[in-house]
Amino acid sequence: MAVQTPHRPQSRHLHLDESAIWQRLEQARRPLDEKQLLEILAKAESLEGLDRLETARLLNLTDPEQVQQVFASARKVKNRIYGRRLVVFAPLYISNHCSNECTYCGFRRGNQELHRTTLNVEQIKQETTALIAQGHKRLLLVAGESEGDQGLDNIIQAIDNIYAVKTSKGEIRRINVNISPLLPAQFERLKLHHIGTYQIFQETYHQETYQKVHLGGLKADFQWRLDTPERAMAAGIEDVGIGVLLGLFDWKFEVLGLLTHIAYLERTFGIGPHTISVPRLERAAGSRLSKAPPAPVTDDQFRLLVAVLRLAVPYTGIIMSTRETADIRTETFALGVSQISAGSRTNPGGYTHKTSSAPQFSLGDHRSLEEVVLDLVNHGYLPSFCTGCYRLGRTGTDFMGMARPGAIRNHCDPNGIATFMEYLLDFAAPETQRLGRACIENVLEEMAPGPRAAATSLVQQVIAGRRDVYC
Ligand code: SAM
Ligand code: SF4
């Protein structure tokens, strides 16, 4: 039976008008004077977001002082909406079999050198146990495309088995998924298994480039992929994550493509995506394209892109994976990132070393979860393992309805602190514990009395031995 949602629209399709994107980029070429820049930044700082022309204008900035002004505004917006919190998760790859031929990916079906594996139930449980033992509470389940219901059956079986693992060190409380596009009825099935966010990246919004790099399998159909977030939302999946794979085509075009997609979802469903991801193409064994990206994005462009996205869509989470190096990650945390992976492996069996398959792509950040946590604390961030909203049903429009007036922080901050205290008590070495507790004290001091009281109560419950407390 179909899952009912308040925003179930008539079936429509996004027709991506490339000429409109080029036109905006062309219009935005004129340099911005100081007054124009301040006007755009003032609008962004009022948390209204930016339209696509304003966004394009900021993306075109090259003057170092003006870029610094954008960074300063992005830091303010990031701080006002997300405070010091950074949500932490780990990917769990369950299969590297894939029926598609994405020329940038190590899992592409034509890569004869890759040792293929799909984890069995026992292996999935072992990987889950290993991640729980590190301190993780949130996973991103990842897989190559396996066509038909059999592929979805495996995914669902994996989700059920991951949630079923309960150890003395805790359990996984939220599973997000990054898996291939599904049909409406399949999305409805997936929803019944309590996923958090469904992620799907368009890779490139430039259709000609899309066709050039996707040479076979269902993924070669640009429109099928483009319609996927809409299909998922129409099927009742309220938190959807979208993204682009940077390095395939002009990065400014891609950002405007992403924002066009977001605007369309907002018009259609009343809310946009829950998160956006902007992975840069990394080297992958068995992919020549990944070693020579056709449109590489420099570090300077990448920092600007993250900051501008933060200003353009202030309430949408921005995810940063371990594809990036520790240094770039740290810089972009201040500019807008709100969720990060840590201690990641991108090959099935990677956490327990039970298989010998190659990773999907090479990682820039090889640190363990604890090393990342310590580094976050040293930079003044509060690592959060919170899953409260999703467990209380605060998703989709409910979540955005609280995020926009700023009310969500009254939950996120206390829950972030409580879950970090759990991490410190259950997993951290003494020095991490000492620094982490000091970080919690600092954050508590900065909080308004109401949320501080809520946070203090949760922390006391955790210290007293209770787990999984949230408000
Ligand atoms: N197979 C599914 C799909 O393609 O939608 C989901 C999993 S796929 C492993 C997840 C994402 O990895 C892709 O959407 C793509 O953006 C990213 N990816 C693939 N190859 C990459 C590479 N060489 N460097 C960085 N990211 C890559
Ligand atoms: Fe398969 Fe996804 Fe890799 Fe494409 S990106 S080859 S669909 S795993």
Side-chain angles (χ1 to χ4, degrees), residues 327-340:
D327 287 347
I328 281 283
R329 272 158 56 91
T330 307
E331 285 180 66
T332 54
F333 296 164
L335 297 175
V337 168
S338 56
Q339 295 191 22
I340 62 166

Side-chain angles (χ1 to χ4, degrees), residues 72-306:
S73 289
R75 286 193 191 98
K76 279 189 210 160
V77 168
K78 158 86 205 273
N79 194 43
R80 278 190 47 204
I81 297 181
Y82 302 91
R84 291 163 176 258
R85 267 176 300 111
L86 269 174
V87 169
V88 183
F89 70 93
L92 174 52
Y93 281 68
I94 62 161
S95 174
N96 61 10
H97 283 274
C98 191
S99 51
N100 292 320
E101 188 60 28
C102 313
T103 50
Y104 45 79
C105 180
F107 292 176
R108 66 189 178 82
R109 78 174 173 218
N111 182 7
Q112 309 281 346
E113 279 146 39
L114 184 72
H115 170 71
R116 305 278 170 178
T117 179
T118 297
L119 300 185
N120 62 31
V121 169
E122 203 40 50
Q123 288 168 326
I124 287 174
K125 288 186 169 171
Q126 286 167 356
E127 291 276 289
T128 307
T129 307
L131 285 163
I132 294 170
Q134 286 181 29
H136 281 291
K137 299 284 186 279
R138 303 169 64 110
L139 294 190
L140 174 68
L141 184 151
V142 187
E145 177 145 11
S146 170
E147 292 172 21
D149 279 331
Q150 177 64 38
L152 181 60
D153 288 346
N154 286 344
I155 303 277
I156 284 175
Q157 195 185 41
I159 292 170
D160 291 348
N161 280 304
I162 293 168
Y163 278 135
V165 176
K166 310 279 177 204
T167 79
S168 59
K169 288 288 199 178
E171 65 286 308
I172 295 303
R173 299 174 185 162
R174 173 172 173 135
I175 305 172
N176 298 331
V177 297
N178 187 325
I179 56 166
S180 298
L182 301 174
L183 293 161
Q186 293 176 318
F187 276 125
E188 287 168 5
R189 253 190 89 199
L190 186 64
K191 183 182 160 76
L192 297 176
H193 294 265
H194 310 290
I195 59 156
T197 307
Y198 168 72
Q199 288 185 1
I200 186 83
F201 306 159
Q202 184 58 30
E203 320 296 13
T204 172
Y205 284 94
H206 187 251
Q207 189 157 1
E208 192 189 321
T209 303
Y210 189 95
Q211 301 309 157
K212 267 193 214 153
V213 298
H214 297 106
L215 299 182
L218 294 176
K219 193 163 167 181
D221 185 337
F222 176 85
Q223 193 67 37
W224 163 249
R225 185 116 181 144
L226 190 64
D227 290 339
T228 305
E230 173 179 1
R231 266 198 319 280
M233 289 170 87
I237 297 197
E238 295 187 306
D239 288 350
V240 170
I242 66 173
V244 282
L245 182 57
L246 296 168
L248 298 175
F249 190 64
D250 180 278
W251 60 283
K252 295 177 193 171
F253 181 96
E254 300 293 21
V255 172
L256 289 206
L258 200 58
L259 291 176
T260 304
H261 204 170
I262 292 174
Y264 172 77
L265 293 172
E266 278 173 354
R267 277 200 311 279
T268 309
F269 295 94
I271 53 158
H274 190 63
T275 54
I276 40 187
S277 300
V278 281
R280 283 194 287 187
L281 192 50
E282 295 297 334
R283 296 171 75 85
S287 156
R288 244 183 295 149
L289 184 80
S290 72
K291 286 156 198 152
V297 177
T298 66
D299 288 352
D300 281 347
Q301 292 165 342
F302 190 60
R303 281 184 280 260
L304 181 61
L305 173 157
V306 170

Side-chain angles (χ1 to χ4, degrees), residues 7-48:
H7 289 284
R8 180 182 276 274
Q10 296 299 314
S11 183
R12 290 165 44 191
H13 296 286
L14 167 60
H15 165 68
L16 198 80
D17 183 356
E18 293 186 1
S19 61
I21 296 182
W22 287 124
Q23 240 172 38
R24 282 202 180 91
L25 286 170
E26 191 53 41
Q27 271 177 290
R29 271 168 173 262
R30 252 177 302 128
L32 280 179
D33 64 30
E34 190 59 12
K35 183 167 168 284
Q36 291 168 319
L37 176 60
L38 289 178
E39 270 170 18
I40 296 179
L41 296 182
K43 180 179 174 195
E45 286 181 31
S46 74
L47 308 184
E48 274 179 66

